Amino acid sequence: MYAHISWFANTLLALKLMLPHRLLLRFLLVFGVLYALVAAVSIALIMRWERDRLAADFRQSLREIAAAAVPADWPPRDEAAAADLQASVTRLAAPLRARLTILDQSGAVIADSDGDPSHVPNQSRQSELLAAARQGEGIATRDGQPGDELVWFATKFNAAVRPGYVRASRTWAPQRQSLGSLRNRLLALAAAGALVLIAATCVLVVPLTRAAGALAASARAMTRGDFSRSAPSESVGEVADLARSFEQARLELAAQVERLRANSDRLTSVLGAMSEGVVAIDPRRRILFANGAARALLEFATSEVIGRPLLEAVRHREIHETVEQAFAAEEPCFREIEGQGTTRRVIAMHARRLPGAPSPGVLLVAHDVTELRRLEKLRQEFVANVSHELKTPLTVIKAFAETLLDGAIDDREHNRAFVLQISEQAERLHQLILDLLSVARIESGNERFDLQPLPLEPIVRSCLQRYAPTAEAKRVALTAGASLAGLQIYADEEAVREILDNLVDNAIKYTPDGGQVEIRCQAEAALVRIEVADTGIGIHSDHQGRIFERFYRVDKARSRELGGTGLGLSIVKHLVSALGGTVAVVSQPGGGSTFVVRLPRV
């Protein structure tokens, strides 16, 4: 029996190693345990019934043997009768493979089929005889040979005259062998039933386990975002319905995830292309999203900020105050801050709490308004400068006009001087307005330039001729270099003339009497270098970066005295830039100035 149990356990272990499906193994274990319990109880009951049947038959056979051995003449009259009784018992016991014993009322052995009765001790204390004395018959089991049992049956006879006892004994070995054979057949049948159960379970459950395994694998793939693995199509029964429902859900989820991914990609692309910085912050003050513009504007302290606390990524106190204010208020918050990074920026911060109860976070939008604020400042300075520049000539004109009206018009000695001052200031005002219109036209981008190949020498010679009288009046030597011949530029003629006129006019104005102004030209790789050099008062390095701004003057009083509007160099810069060139200045106080213009070469 233990061998069969061991075989069954080894079979289950092998199945556990061979079968990949845990569901099938569970079925086999459950069914196996139930089957083992039912089989064990059934075998135990059958063995008990069979043992009881064999015991009853065995007792009946002993009873019949004992009845056949009851002596007719009792008690024996003499020794000859006793010897005949001994021989009769021996003959009867031999074919029955039993031991027969005749005993008197005291338990003394009168005849015994196994030998001389005189050598057998008194049997009155044996349990079967005690039972027979009380009940008429008795039975007992005692060990015989090693591994064998003997069943003793005793019956009482001739109770009316002089009682005696007949005892029959046989071995239980044949019945034991019969029971063992029956047990082996039952175990073999149980093992065969177990194999049939395993096979039936596999046939019924394997398709289910395969379908369940495939569904589980598909579900695990879906949790990883892989919706390509479909549900098994060979499923049966309820699993087939489950597989169809799962497949439909998989397709719908895949479509929804694809739509969400596409929307997310579009949203990420849009947010990534925005010039405004966008940062999403959750209630724990951790960064959920940040686009590239936000990284550049806020200059995060770490390269990877998603999932990190805002305090680790941004060390600006005002930004944290803005976020906390947005979390506390329902209305959006606005604040302008000055960046603390390597590039000084003015950043406009808009923070708004996202809708929801509780709120899922705050959306922070950062705008770089540095250029806007700079332009506003320039506009304010421009309005102030224009107002100041217009006010000066208008004040002079008004003052001299009122003087003339008050009677100075009749003063023949001075009235002409007053009128000349009015004319000069009107001309200055006219030139200022022309320069303003020119700057506005160039900056608006509406100025149309006729770009074409131009020989440089005629333009330079024409400029020298126009300013020769002015230079002679100040005794300033106005010359041109010797390398003009053959140089051509790709530009607009009027624009180049205006560039040279402004540079030469400034050079003559700020060069003392007896000084020198020279126009030099030189061919470079893809450009033509035009220099206007003077021996004038020069420009300090602190002012060289701003002299091309509108209305910027190094010496305001001297500039107004010389009739300058403060717009000439600004016009030069814008014209050169529009023609695709560059302009710079090299100067030092008292050492003159050299303005260098580079224009595209033909």
Side-chain angles (χ1 to χ4, degrees):
M1 181 175 180
Y2 296 108
H4 289 84
I5 295 175
S6 177
W7 172 86
F8 186 72
N10 291 332
T11 302
L12 288 179
L13 180 59
L15 285 171
K16 180 179 178 180
L17 297 176
M18 290 187 295
L19 295 174
H21 303 295
R22 288 181 291 179
L23 180 61
L24 178 58
L25 182 58
R26 291 193 185 100
F27 272 107
L28 289 175
L29 289 176
V30 171
F31 290 164
V33 170
L34 292 176
Y35 179 81
L37 290 176
V38 172
V41 172
S42 299
I43 292 174
L45 291 175
I46 292 173
M47 292 296 294
R48 181 175 179 179
W49 293 335
E50 180 65 13
R51 184 180 182 89
D52 291 344
R53 186 188 67 81
L54 290 176
D57 293 345
F58 194 75
R59 176 180 291 187
Q60 183 62 29
S61 67
L62 289 176
R63 183 180 289 113
E64 293 174 355
I65 293 171
V70 173
D73 185 13
W74 181 258
R77 293 182 300 274
D78 50 25
E79 292 182 2
D84 290 340
L85 181 60
Q86 174 69 22
S88 175
V89 169
T90 302
R91 287 193 304 270
L92 182 62
L96 297 177
R97 295 183 180 180
R99 180 180 179 180
L100 288 173
T101 306
I102 307 296
L103 302 99
D104 62 11
Q105 185 177 2
S106 65
V109 178
I110 304 301
D112 186 22
S113 63
D114 275 7
D116 188 357
S118 62
H119 294 162
V120 180
N122 188 284
Q123 301 292 309
S124 60
R125 305 306 300 172
Q126 297 297 336
S127 57
E128 67 273 11
L129 289 179
L130 294 174
R134 293 191 305 270
Q135 304 170 3
E137 63 179 28
I139 190 169
T141 302
R142 290 191 290 274
D143 292 337
Q145 297 295 330
D148 190 11
E149 289 180 336
L150 293 176
V151 180
W152 303 82
F153 179 82
T155 183
K156 188 176 181 181
F157 66 91
N158 200 15
V161 182
R162 188 179 178 183
Y165 299 93
V166 176
R167 186 176 67 180
S169 173
R170 294 180 74 180
T171 180
W172 182 253
Q175 284 70 23
R176 182 185 294 109
Q177 292 177 358
S178 177
L179 289 174
S181 177
L182 177 62
R183 183 187 61 233
N184 292 336
R185 290 195 299 271
L186 290 175
L187 289 177
L189 183 61
L195 292 178
V196 172
L197 177 65
I198 292 173
T201 303
C202 292
V203 171
L204 294 175
V205 178
V206 163
L208 299 179
T209 58
R210 287 178 179 173
L215 286 174
S218 181
R220 286 192 296 270
M222 288 171 60
T223 59
R224 298 191 300 268
D226 180 11
F227 293 89
S228 61
R229 179 172 294 186
S230 60
S233 58
E234 67 275 6
S235 304
V236 294
E238 289 76 6
V239 178
D241 297 336
L242 177 61
R244 284 191 293 270
S245 300
F246 185 88
E247 180 66 11
Q248 183 179 359
R250 182 188 70 83
L251 295 175
E252 292 178 357
L253 281 175
Q256 291 180 7
V257 169
E258 186 60 30
R259 287 194 296 269
L260 290 174
R261 184 179 291 116
N263 291 336
S264 177
D265 292 341
R266 284 195 294 269
L267 181 61
T268 302
S269 299
V270 171
L271 293 176
M274 290 176 60
S275 59
E276 294 82 4
V278 179
V279 182
I281 305 162
D282 68 7
R284 296 186 301 167
R285 284 33 174 198
R286 293 182 179 274
I287 298 176
L288 298 176
F289 173 82
N291 64 353
R295 298 172 185 272
L297 288 176
L298 304 182
E299 297 188 2
F300 293 139
T302 57
S303 58
E304 184 56 45
V305 298
I306 304 302
R308 290 183 175 273
L310 181 65
L311 188 61
E312 290 185 11
V314 180
R315 305 296 174 84
H316 202 296
R317 178 179 57 84
E318 291 184 284
I319 294 178
H320 294 281
E321 291 178 354
T322 305
V323 171
E324 294 301 326
Q325 185 179 355
F327 271 110
E330 294 184 359
E331 297 298 323
C333 305
F334 173 80
R335 179 180 294 189
E336 280 193 7
I337 65 173
E338 186 173 336
Q340 297 179 341
T342 55
T343 304
R344 308 301 291 183
R345 292 190 179 98
V346 179
I347 302 173
M349 307 293 299
H350 295 263
R352 186 183 186 91
R353 189 174 67 183
L354 298 175
S359 173
V362 161
L363 185 66
L364 185 68
V365 180
H367 303 262
D368 187 356
V369 295
T370 306
E371 184 64 17
L372 179 62
R373 296 294 176 261
R374 188 185 72 82
L375 293 176
E376 287 181 353
K377 183 178 180 181
L378 289 178
R379 178 182 59 80
Q380 293 171 355
E381 293 179 352
F382 177 74
V383 172
N385 288 329
V386 168
S387 300
H388 185 74
E389 294 296 332
L390 292 176
K391 180 181 178 181
T392 301
L394 288 174
T395 301
V396 174
I397 290 172
K398 181 180 179 181
F400 282 113
E402 289 177 349
T403 302
L404 290 173
L405 289 174
D406 287 340
I409 193 172
D410 297 325
D411 187 353
R412 293 183 178 275
E413 183 179 352
H414 299 96
N415 58 5
R416 185 175 179 83
F418 292 156
V419 173
L420 287 175
Q421 286 292 331
I422 292 174
S423 177
E424 289 178 1
Q425 294 301 323
E427 179 61 26
R428 178 183 175 188
L429 186 61
H430 175 70
Q431 187 60 43
L432 177 61
I433 293 173
L434 291 179
D435 287 348
L436 286 173
L437 291 174
S438 179
V439 170
R441 186 176 65 254
I442 296 170
E443 288 184 347
S444 67
N446 295 326
E447 181 76 6
R448 299 294 180 182
F449 296 102
D450 183 16
L451 301 179
Q452 58 182 339
L454 297 175
L456 193 57
E457 184 175 4
I459 299 175
V460 174
R461 298 300 179 190
S462 174
C463 180
L464 293 178
Q465 291 176 3
R466 286 195 300 276
Y467 284 92
T470 305
E472 290 176 1
K474 289 192 66 175
R475 293 184 293 114
V476 173
L478 179 59
T479 60
S483 58
L484 295 176
L487 291 179
Q488 284 191 325
I489 58 176
Y490 190 75
D492 179 86
E493 184 174 355
E494 290 301 323
V496 176
R497 291 182 184 277
E498 190 168 359
I499 292 170
L500 288 177
D501 287 349
N502 278 288
L503 293 178
V504 171
D505 182 53
N506 274 352
I508 294 173
K509 286 179 181 178
Y510 293 99
T511 299
D513 294 351
Q516 182 178 357
V517 175
E518 183 181 10
I519 302 176
R520 299 190 291 263
C521 299
Q522 181 181 354
E524 294 183 347
L527 301 170
V528 172
R529 176 188 178 104
I530 304 172
E531 296 182 355
V532 177
D534 61 57
T535 58
I537 60 176
I539 304 171
H540 195 276
S541 58
D542 293 342
H543 301 284
Q544 291 180 16
R546 301 191 61 190
I547 60 174
F548 294 101
E549 296 178 8
R550 291 170 295 185
F551 297 113
Y552 186 83
R553 295 184 176 93
V554 177
D555 188 344
K556 296 183 179 180
R558 181 180 179 88
S559 176
R560 291 193 181 95
E561 180 184 344
L562 295 175
T565 64
L567 294 174
L569 291 180
S570 177
I571 293 173
V572 169
K573 177 184 178 182
H574 285 89
L575 286 175
V576 171
S577 178
L579 296 177
T582 60
V583 61
V585 62
V586 178
S587 179
Q588 57 182 0
S593 302
T594 300
F595 286 84
V596 181
V597 176
R598 290 181 172 86
L599 295 175
R601 177 184 178 187
V602 176

